[in-house]
Amino acid sequence: MNTHLIGTDVNRIDGPAKVSGAAKYAGEFFASDMLYAVVVSGAIAHGEIASIDTHKAMKVPGAIEVFTHKNRPHLAWFDKSYLDEDAPTDGKPLRPLYDASIHHSGQPIALAVAESFEAARYMARLVHVEYKAFTHQTDMTMAVQEAKRIEKSNRTGIEPPPKPRGNSAEAYAAAAVKLDKTYHSPTETHNPMELFATTVVYNPDDTLTIYDKTQSVSNSQLYVTNIFGFSKSDVRVESPFVGGAFGSALRPQYQLYLATLAAKALKRSVRLTLTRDQMFTLGHRPETLQEIRIGANTNGDLQSLHNETMQATSRYENYFEVIANWSGLSYHCDNVTMEEKIVAMDTATPGDMRAPGAAQGVWAIETAMDELAVATGRDPVELRLQNYAEKDQNHDKKYSSKELKACYQQAAERFRWSERKSTPRTERRGTSLVGRGMAGGVWEAPQLPAAAKATLAPDGTLTVASGTADIGTGTYTAMAILAGEALGLPLNRVIVKLGDTELPVAPLEGGSWTIASVGTAVTEACKAVAEKIFKLAAGLDHSPLKHASFKEVEFVNERISLIADPSSFVTLQAALAAGDGKPIEEKTKSGPNLLKQHGYKSYTHSAVFAEVEVDEDFGTVSVCRVVSAIAGGRIINHEAARNQIIGGIVWGIGMALQEQSETDHQLGRIMNHNLAEYHVPVCADVHDIEVIFVKEDDDIVNPIGAKGLGEIGLVGVAAAIGNAIYNATGRRVRDLPITLDKLI
Amino acid sequence: MNNFEYIRADDLSGAARFVASHGQAKFIGGGTNLVDLMKYAVERPTALVDLNRLKLRDITVLPDGGVRIGALVTNSDAAYSPVVSSRYPLLSRAILAGASAQLRNKATTSGNLLQRTRCVYFYDTAVPCNKREPGTGCPAKEGINRSLAILGTSVECIATHPSDMCVAMAALGAVVQVTGPTGDRSILFADFHRLPGDHPEIDSTLAKDEIITAVDLPATGFAKNSAYIKVRDRQSYAFALISVAAGLEVVDGLITKAGVAMGGVAHKPWRSAQLEQQLLVGKPANRDTWHAFQSALLAGAQGYGENDFKLKLAPVTVVRALEQAAHEGDQA
Ligand SMILES: Cc1cc2nc3c(=O)[nH]c(=O)nc-3n(C[C@H](O)[C@H](O)[C@H](O)COP(=O)(O)OP(=O)(O)OC[C@H]3O[C@@H](n4cnc5c(N)ncnc54)[C@H](O)[C@@H]3O)c2cc1C
Ligand code: SF4
């Protein structure tokens, strides 16, 4: 296909609005009668509210109401009303203010509402709560004996482990080389810059317009209509801009619930923004403990693989992520057993966080593979190539494409992997040991059903719309690129609308499926419009396209021209002039082509190489160089794609070295709940990063051949860094993050 | 945030008198610590006396050759001032190792001295903390104490003073100038901060109604041989796990003067002038000397679990700082 936009470097079309402040986020919308709400967070991990006294709070000038479980309005009775699209179907979602029970520290227990934010905040402080505390458990290592095995899926796309293949125990017993190690990863908390916020505008006709920080306006709409008994036509949810989410806004968060509760009860508009500290009371990446057993021959060929994963969840929802399965997917092995177990604790339910499951699962197996390379004296890249998985053995399916070998090869070359010394502690720079390591990465590349609308105005302006979200990933721009490509329009002729329940329905924006799903829908809607204009163009008197079929023309530079002879064309303008003066509008629903995809699975892949310097005295680690090669199908916006991968790598540096939500288990509470103490990389921690996109053609994955890139950039990075640290120091750290105390 | 009165002070004595007569009044400098604490309801002043209009923003050379840094000189201005960076590079480096550029532009010298601990329990009013609410307990001792003290702790509290600037000032032997309703006084840096003891709620020996007016640096400032080493969890914008400010004067390989202070280990910058006299001054500037000194300086150090690693990290940091200070300028 001849392209003029796809695959080029395109600046964000929403960039100017963002940097000038014109882009409005959920907590920035305003209504003239608006009230402000502030959440009162609970102090204990498990128990009951014995008493709650709001008298002092209500005396604050400007006070409107303090909602508690005592005076809350009517709420739905059944658990199923509280299930959002991403909730585990077998859980009992949290119902803030429903009753006196407390399920986790920081749980919202009251909502102060006032005429001003300052008054509401002061009121929140004056609410006096007495608790009846029950015993609690937040320490997973103390609760492992209560682990429950996962048997079946309870969320779309989240699979339990496949049945064992072969006999891993026998093969392990017979193997010449054996590894049996446990890998621990901590709780991590999403910290998008934008805090969770909802502005509920109460309209004169008792309907609501809700501005919410969400990765799915339709999920937010479903949630509040079910709980508060609204009909869908009464609730419009908009989310034009999202200041980062990383999975945290897939499920409706409690500020949406509470702001809606207050607006409905008071018949007034309400704005509620959580504090940074309260961001630590929502979903989080679950803590994991993975026991990995590998059996291999002396040459490093895998003979047996066993991954038994334990992951934390809450007491009220059986949330789980796919963690163990990545072990059995990544390499060819005929004897594999994988188990996934959950441990329920008195915490909030975990939630999807960038590359949920793979971030931890791939880290562990890729670290274990490095250990196998050391044990067998093989080069880590060679070891991976000799165990290369030519098919998805977990599902017994072929890959629709897998250019991972090209990733290894191109990244290794750029990184100058051949200069690496395989013996630890052989290279020094000043007071530091230098090490190099690598790892592979993998993430799914699914396509989900999605709808989109394309409208071509008589003046040649194209509007494309879909109820998806742009959480900073570049959805606006990608939709514009695909639309402009389909109709031969420059970007400044394309208007994109998203984040609104009035628009055609799109899936949750997550899982790296948006480009494949919404991108396909947009392309198809634009194709449908193109066909109509083509008819107008062909119908013109003396049209050079009179005898052409739609397949024989292309849309380039605002012209419809014959592919065989581009000098024969009709301008878009001339074609539109032949119309009836009304916009041409097409709405499409697209979904995976099951026939074409039958027998295939689709994934993105990566090879990540890292160089570190480790100060010998201090154990401080500097990640001086990262090269990541990505096989992600067709790249739609090269610049945004590169941004995504770099962002993922920076996150990987944090995962490897810094990120952890530190819980005081006596108090059952995360204590480093602010950005001074919850560490993520700062600029000084980020050095050279290079991204390579290898060529990967795939016409099975979806019609546009693109795979999402939201997650893959992160996967494998922590392992590559950990492996480099081993190469530098000879120390293998199987417990993230690798803080300096683990290296001195 | 609670409601509070806000007053701009125009003269020192008026400001001191106001605070003396208002039970819950507090001074405010850059506000980078106090305002955070007010948002968290850890500090609940009923009145704020803003010192920013007072003429305490100058850096002046004193008759004895020392340098006076006005209390309201920002951390950035102090660090980049030519007289400080040339004569007291140790102090410049320490200041620039702290916080972020934005914070340093706002933070004042006096506010930095009086910033409070970063112990996570201290910042969260939902949990106990003896420093915040005396008598409630110290969950840090058996909890999250990775960044907390290994020296000079008490049964009640194991918090650290988090400043970088103060560690260098302690090593330099600075003097804090204060004024109050009863007049002016000078406080030796070593006496300014205190150990937690039975009163962890009190950080310093400054009275509530006393105002810091300046910090005086002595005439000699280890301009030739000094080092500030800060070991932290990320390369910027993180408090010190261990920091060491080391200043030396070396003549023909022998140490003639030394000042060494540590941050991240105690409720105050940790320094022993006596050990410096005994184990550094007159000794050769070599590794044996550093080792003998660090083991004496760190004698009695005790870990509380998470922070046990500091027992290993502290000695190597002292040695590295002394080694680096001794060899500063070697290549130049
Ligand atoms: C995220 C973050 C990271 C940081 N990292 C570091 C770091 O790495 N290293 C480091 O050293 N610091 C760090 N800091 C702390 C920073 O240095 C202090 O917040 C700052 O120095 C305080 O100065 P201020 O002028 O803003 O003080 P304020 O907040 O205005 O005041 C602090 C205290 O001093 C009192 N006070 C102020 N001036 C006077 C006076 N003249 N007389 C009497 N009392 C007075 C106030 O009443 C108040 O109690 C960090 C801070 C933050 C928020
Ligand atoms: S160490 Fe001090 S500041 Fe920290 S919890 Fe204990 S008493 Fe409070």
Side-chain angles (χ1 to χ4, degrees):
Chain A
M1 194 200 312
N2 239 335
T3 60
H4 69 293
L5 287 172
I6 290 181
T8 62
D9 288 299
V10 180
N11 284 339
R12 306 292 167 108
I13 60 168
D14 48 333
K18 283 186 171 169
V19 296
S20 65
K24 273 196 178 182
Y25 293 82
E28 298 178 332
F29 287 89
F30 190 76
S32 53
D33 68 332
M34 193 166 81
L35 298 171
Y36 296 79
V38 170
V39 174
V40 179
S41 304
I44 63 166
H46 184 206
E48 276 175 7
I49 300 169
S51 71
I52 187 159
D53 183 353
T54 62
H55 285 93
K56 263 196 187 162
M58 287 303 294
K59 292 219 173 83
V60 173
I64 297 287
E65 184 60 281
V66 179
F67 291 100
T68 69
H69 65 285
K70 298 259 190 197
N71 67 352
R72 62 157 177 87
H74 173 79
L75 292 163
W77 283 353
F78 298 110
D79 283 329
K80 76 172 193 327
S81 304
Y82 294 79
L83 290 180
D84 67 89
E85 281 179 54
D86 196 33
T89 48
D90 56 350
K92 291 175 170 294
L94 195 74
R95 303 175 180 194
L97 315 193
Y98 192 85
D99 55 26
S101 57
I102 291 192
H103 306 277
H104 68 84
S105 188
Q107 177 183 318
I109 53 172
L111 186 74
V113 186
E115 295 284 357
S116 72
F117 167 67
E118 289 74 16
R121 184 166 58 169
Y122 187 35
M123 287 167 66
R125 172 164 311 160
L126 296 177
V127 173
H128 183 79
V129 189
E130 295 284 340
Y131 301 97
K132 190 174 157 201
F134 305 153
T135 57
H136 66 258
Q137 185 57 270
T138 54
D139 186 349
M140 192 169 84
T141 54
M142 301 299 288
V144 287
Q145 63 285 359
E146 290 163 35
K148 281 187 296 196
R149 193 191 307 262
I150 291 293
E151 308 283 356
K152 59 176 197 292
S153 171
N154 60 13
R155 288 194 299 152
T156 325
I158 308 298
E159 298 168 342
K163 288 210 175 64
R165 56 181 186 257
N167 187 331
S168 63
E170 240 170 52
Y172 183 75
V177 179
K178 294 184 174 73
L179 281 174
D180 182 354
K181 302 288 181 214
T182 301
Y183 301 82
H184 174 258
S185 72
T187 305
E188 295 173 3
T189 300
H190 311 72
N191 270 294
M193 280 310 292
E194 183 200 14
L195 301 168
F196 272 93
T198 301
T199 304
V200 181
V201 177
Y202 197 91
N203 300 314
D205 61 353
D206 294 328
T207 62
L208 305 181
T209 307
I210 300 180
Y211 300 95
D212 188 31
K213 177 189 174 89
T214 179
Q215 290 175 254
S216 169
V217 284
S218 43
N219 197 20
S220 294
Q221 185 193 44
L222 169 95
Y223 183 71
V224 297
T225 49
N226 280 349
I227 295 171
F228 297 102
F230 289 106
S231 72
K232 272 197 174 174
S233 57
D234 289 342
V235 179
R236 176 176 181 175
V237 181
E238 293 186 54
S239 187
F241 295 99
V242 178
F246 311 113
S248 62
L250 286 168
R251 297 189 66 182
Q253 298 294 0
Y254 61 72
Q255 92 289 344
L256 169 65
Y257 173 103
L258 292 170
T260 309
L261 177 151
K264 187 185 178 206
L266 299 169
K267 294 188 181 293
R268 299 257 317 250
S269 300
V270 174
R271 181 198 286 173
L272 170 53
T273 304
L274 300 189
T275 63
R276 178 60 63 188
D277 305 73
Q278 286 165 344
M279 298 289 282
F280 288 79
T281 64
L282 309 169
H284 48 265
R285 197 193 287 292
E287 182 178 1
T288 71
L289 212 55
Q290 299 177 60
E291 195 189 333
I292 295 186
R293 275 202 294 280
I294 290 181
N297 63 19
T298 50
N299 194 37
D301 300 317
L302 289 178
Q303 291 172 335
S304 163
L305 199 58
H306 181 111
N307 180 326
E308 194 177 325
T309 291
M310 203 103 64
Q311 51 179 305
T313 186
S314 69
R315 293 235 193 256
Y316 51 92
E317 285 176 311
N318 291 331
Y319 173 95
F320 75 96
E321 300 179 351
V322 176
I323 298 174
N325 293 5
W326 302 102
S327 287
L329 176 76
S330 295
Y331 297 99
H332 180 91
C333 185
D334 292 327
N335 300 292
V336 176
T337 307
M338 292 174 290
E339 281 181 44
E340 202 83 69
K341 290 178 179 169
I342 51 173
V343 183
M345 292 190 299
D346 300 292
T347 66
T349 303
D352 293 307
M353 185 200 236
R354 205 169 194 179
Q360 311 98 306
V362 173
W363 163 68
I365 185 68
E366 288 297 311
T367 307
M369 286 300 280
D370 201 64
E371 299 195 52
L372 182 63
V374 172
T376 55
R378 303 288 296 161
D379 175 87
V381 178
E382 290 302 318
L383 182 82
R384 284 167 173 82
L385 286 171
Q386 81 197 46
N387 288 294
Y388 198 77
E390 296 287 358
K391 69 177 212 181
D392 173 351
Q393 284 182 292
N394 281 2
H395 297 95
D396 195 21
K397 284 182 178 175
K398 286 183 275 201
Y399 293 112
S400 65
S401 59
K402 181 181 177 181
E403 294 295 342
L404 177 58
K405 280 183 184 163
C407 292
Y408 290 142
Q409 189 254 321
Q410 291 180 30
E413 201 176 299
R414 188 76 59 88
F415 185 80
R416 299 188 308 278
W417 177 251
S418 55
E419 293 172 11
R420 170 181 182 263
K421 316 265 185 298
S422 56
T423 312
R425 311 182 69 84
T426 35
E427 200 180 335
R428 275 164 211 274
R429 256 175 232 150
T431 55
S432 291
L433 292 160
V434 179
R436 296 179 180 82
M438 59 80 59
V442 54
W443 182 256
E444 296 164 342
Q447 181 194 359
L448 272 58
K453 191 168 71 180
T455 312
L456 188 62
D459 71 351
T461 312
L462 176 70
T463 304
V464 286
S466 177
T468 181
D470 187 333
I471 57 171
T473 44
T475 314
Y476 274 110
T477 313
M479 284 170 70
I481 290 172
L482 289 165
E485 189 77 52
L487 283 166
L489 291 170
L491 285 174
N492 61 12
R493 307 278 278 178
V494 184
I495 296 166
V496 179
K497 290 188 176 164
L498 52 72
D500 186 344
T501 46
E502 306 276 284
L503 303 177
V505 177
L508 305 172
E509 199 282 347
S512 291
W513 56 61
T514 298
I515 197 76
S517 313
V518 177
T520 299
V522 165
T523 301
E524 289 183 357
C526 291
K527 284 245 168 78
V529 170
E531 279 192 55
K532 284 206 169 157
I533 314 175
F534 168 69
K535 280 196 189 124
L536 289 174
L540 287 173
D541 292 344
H542 315 297
S543 171
L545 310 178
K546 201 155 240 136
H547 303 292
S549 74
F550 184 62
K551 282 205 174 112
E552 289 163 338
V553 299
E554 61 180 5
F555 287 68
V556 183
N557 291 335
E558 299 181 73
R559 290 170 174 180
I560 311 159
S561 39
L562 283 177
I563 295 171
D565 171 19
S567 68
S568 298
F569 64 85
V570 173
T571 65
L572 219 50
Q573 210 184 353
L576 278 165
D580 55 6
K582 290 197 190 118
I584 300 173
E585 180 164 299
E586 288 292 331
K587 203 178 150 183
T588 51
K589 270 191 188 157
S590 66
N593 183 336
L594 298 177
L595 223 58
K596 208 165 182 179
Q597 292 176 2
H598 182 73
Y600 291 96
K601 289 291 277 183
S602 296
Y603 300 89
T604 49
H605 290 91
S606 68
V608 195
F609 290 69
E611 179 179 308
V612 299
E613 292 174 0
V614 184
D615 188 287
E616 250 205 294
D617 286 338
F618 304 152
T620 41
V621 178
S622 170
V623 180
C624 26
R625 213 152 60 88
V626 178
V627 177
S628 174
I630 304 287
R634 189 154 178 230
I635 304 303
I636 303 299
N637 181 355
H638 181 265
E639 180 178 299
R642 193 172 160 272
N643 292 165
Q644 272 292 350
I645 302 307
I646 290 175
I649 292 168
V650 171
W651 193 313
I653 295 172
M655 179 178 177
L657 305 178
Q658 298 168 352
E659 278 198 58
Q660 61 179 326
S661 312
E662 296 173 72
T663 298
D664 179 306
H665 295 302
Q666 310 250 350
L667 298 165
R669 186 174 177 91
I670 292 174
M671 289 309 302
N672 58 336
H673 42 71
N674 58 63
L675 290 180
E677 305 300 333
Y678 184 91
H679 286 174
V680 297
V682 293
C683 292
D685 296 310
V686 181
H687 302 281
D688 275 9
I689 296 180
E690 274 190 79
V691 179
I692 300 166
F693 292 106
V694 309
K695 189 169 155 42
E696 187 174 68
D697 297 322
D698 192 334
D699 61 359
I700 297 167
V701 61
N702 59 60
I704 59 174
K707 297 174 177 178
L709 297 170
E711 339 270 334
I712 188 67
L714 161 67
V715 186
V717 178
I721 293 171
N723 296 343
I725 291 172
Y726 173 81
N727 181 241
T729 63
R731 273 182 195 247
R732 180 70 64 184
V733 181
R734 301 181 189 88
D735 179 24
L736 291 180
I738 308 175
T739 43
L740 57 89
D741 48 292
K742 296 172 187 168
L743 294 171
I744 56 173
Chain B
M1 210 183 287
N2 298 33
N3 282 337
F4 56 88
E5 254 183 282
Y6 173 79
I7 293 116
R8 277 205 173 115
D10 291 317
D11 69 293
L12 275 170
S13 56
R17 270 198 316 272
F18 181 91
V19 169
S21 60
H22 284 72
Q24 299 298 318
K26 278 200 87 91
F27 301 116
I28 182 162
T32 60
N33 189 216
L34 182 55
V35 175
D36 276 0
L37 289 165
M38 288 169 69
K39 288 183 180 170
Y40 282 131
V42 174
E43 302 266 19
R44 276 166 288 193
T46 51
L48 280 188
V49 179
D50 186 343
L51 302 176
N52 283 285
R53 286 207 178 159
L54 298 177
K55 303 223 170 332
L56 302 171
R57 290 195 184 275
D58 293 327
I59 299 177
T60 43
V61 178
L62 298 168
D64 71 350
V67 168
R68 171 164 293 177
I69 302 176
L72 295 175
V73 172
T74 66
N75 287 178
S76 300
D77 285 347
Y80 292 120
S81 105
V83 58
V84 175
S85 58
S86 62
R87 291 183 50 195
Y88 310 93
L90 177 58
L91 179 58
S92 282
R93 288 183 196 132
I95 293 174
L96 295 176
S100 65
Q102 295 92 326
L103 285 157
R104 294 192 298 265
N105 288 342
K106 199 86 188 98
T108 63
T109 305
S110 51
N112 194 317
L113 279 161
L114 291 171
Q115 63 172 301
R116 310 217 60 191
T117 185
R118 304 307 292 199
C119 173
V120 291
Y121 301 94
F122 179 71
Y123 281 77
D124 186 341
T125 54
V127 305
C129 165
N130 284 333
K131 186 183 268 301
R132 184 168 28 75
E133 281 176 68
T136 52
C138 174
K141 276 196 140 159
E142 287 172 10
I144 292 164
N145 55 41
R146 179 177 164 73
S147 70
L148 301 188
I150 52 171
L151 285 162
T153 57
S154 73
V155 179
E156 275 75 24
C157 180
I158 60 169
T160 45
H161 189 265
S163 170
D164 291 294
M165 181 192 85
C166 292
V167 180
M169 286 182 172
L172 287 165
V175 175
V176 184
Q177 302 296 351
V178 311
T179 187
T182 54
D184 301 346
R185 65 182 180 118
S186 303
I187 309 173
L188 293 180
F189 211 87
D191 299 331
F192 184 81
H193 297 102
R194 58 185 294 284
L195 292 177
D198 293 340
H199 287 286
E201 73 280 10
I202 306 170
D203 291 351
S204 74
T205 53
L206 190 75
K208 171 185 168 292
D209 51 9
E210 280 181 314
I211 303 177
I212 298 174
T213 55
V215 175
D216 290 353
L217 305 176
T220 54
F222 305 115
K224 217 168 136 259
N225 292 97
S226 69
Y228 186 72
I229 293 193
K230 176 175 181 180
V231 186
R232 48 184 146 176
D233 276 327
R234 59 182 169 190
Q235 291 180 25
S236 173
Y237 201 50
F239 290 91
L241 292 166
I242 298 281
S243 69
V244 177
L248 296 172
E249 283 180 19
V250 186
V251 178
D252 297 334
L254 284 189
I255 300 162
T256 55
K257 193 177 170 202
V260 183
M262 298 188 74
V265 294
H267 203 252
K268 61 188 287 187
W270 195 254
R271 180 181 174 188
S272 168
Q274 194 195 336
L275 288 176
E276 287 160 12
Q277 283 305 319
Q278 280 173 13
L279 298 170
L280 291 176
V281 174
K283 300 282 183 307
N286 66 24
R287 286 197 164 256
D288 290 343
T289 304
W290 316 146
H291 279 288
F293 175 72
Q294 67 75 10
S295 71
L297 184 66
L298 292 163
Q302 186 198 340
Y304 291 86
E306 275 191 358
N307 72 351
D308 288 348
F309 73 94
K310 289 190 177 186
L311 302 176
K312 265 193 187 167
L313 185 59
V316 293
T317 316
V318 175
V319 170
R320 179 83 72 88
L322 282 164
E323 184 74 4
Q324 199 171 306
H327 292 288
E328 193 186 8
D330 272 7
Q331 278 97 337

